[in-house]
Amino acid sequence: HGDLQMDWNKSPAEVRLSMTIPDFVPERNGYRQLTLPRWEALTAPLTTAGHVRKTPLERIRSRETALHYNIIYPAAWTLLPERDFSGGDDFSRVSVKYSAATDGKGNNRLQIDAKEELAAGILPPEDYGKLIRLQRQLSDPSMPLILLKSLYL
């Protein structure tokens, strides 16, 4: 089942989707793999037009995007590995924090909080490479990938 909640009275607006899908991530050879949904909400705003820029890049508005994931999985599985990430500068900053714990019911709970802050302003051409590196790091296929390993291998 799924539950969609929207709150347009906040700034920024908030959209929440909660889903429970039993056996959503099938097991293969003692591993389970899940790609986090909506990861492109972080990567798309950082998309660059090219590798070199001769003129400053102007961002007219600031923008903040936050993705929060709560994943519950059996205690017989372990997360490989937790990958906290922090990158960028005052113009474009991204952080991804992983927090794993047991829930007292025989399950593990993984919480992932990803936040992107894009400031309004002007990026000089000599700093354009920093934006490209940040975009490449976030677009790496392993970034939104969650890998679980069975403890009984």
Side-chain angles (χ1 to χ4, degrees):
H1 73 276
D3 181 25
L4 180 64
Q5 300 170 352
M6 295 180 270
D7 186 349
W8 302 106
N9 296 319
K10 290 184 176 182
S11 181
E14 191 173 280
V15 178
R16 291 181 179 263
L17 176 63
S18 175
M19 300 175 81
T20 301
I21 306 173
D23 300 321
F24 179 67
V25 183
E27 178 183 347
R28 291 193 187 126
N29 300 321
Y31 291 90
R32 292 180 185 231
Q33 179 177 309
L34 167 70
T35 301
L36 297 173
R38 296 286 300 138
W39 192 256
E40 68 278 3
L42 294 179
T43 59
L46 291 175
T47 301
T48 55
H51 300 293
V52 178
R53 189 164 182 102
K54 295 180 181 179
T55 60
L57 173 67
E58 181 180 16
R59 189 178 290 140
I60 297 170
R61 287 189 224 45
S62 62
R63 174 182 176 149
E64 183 179 305
T65 302
L67 300 174
H68 305 286
Y69 302 94
N70 284 300
I71 301 167
I72 298 171
Y73 57 97
W77 294 85
T78 186
L79 177 65
L80 297 176
E82 292 181 36
R83 305 176 311 272
D84 286 353
F85 171 81
S86 182
D89 54 24
D90 290 341
F91 191 68
S92 302
R93 181 179 315 280
V94 177
S95 66
V96 182
K97 303 280 185 205
Y98 289 74
S99 176
T102 59
D103 69 359
K105 299 177 185 175
N107 295 309
N108 290 323
R109 177 183 296 273
L110 173 63
Q111 182 174 332
I112 304 168
D113 293 308
K115 186 175 184 180
E116 177 179 73
E117 297 171 292
L118 306 178
I122 296 177
L123 182 70
E126 60 270 16
D127 290 342
Y128 192 64
K130 294 177 188 177
L131 184 63
I132 292 172
R133 281 190 296 282
L134 182 59
Q135 194 272 336
R136 283 183 184 156
Q137 288 173 305
L138 281 178
S139 296
D140 184 299
S142 69
M143 283 299 287
L145 186 68
I146 302 299
L147 184 62
L148 301 173
K149 179 182 176 185
S150 173
L151 295 176
Y152 302 113
L153 277 182

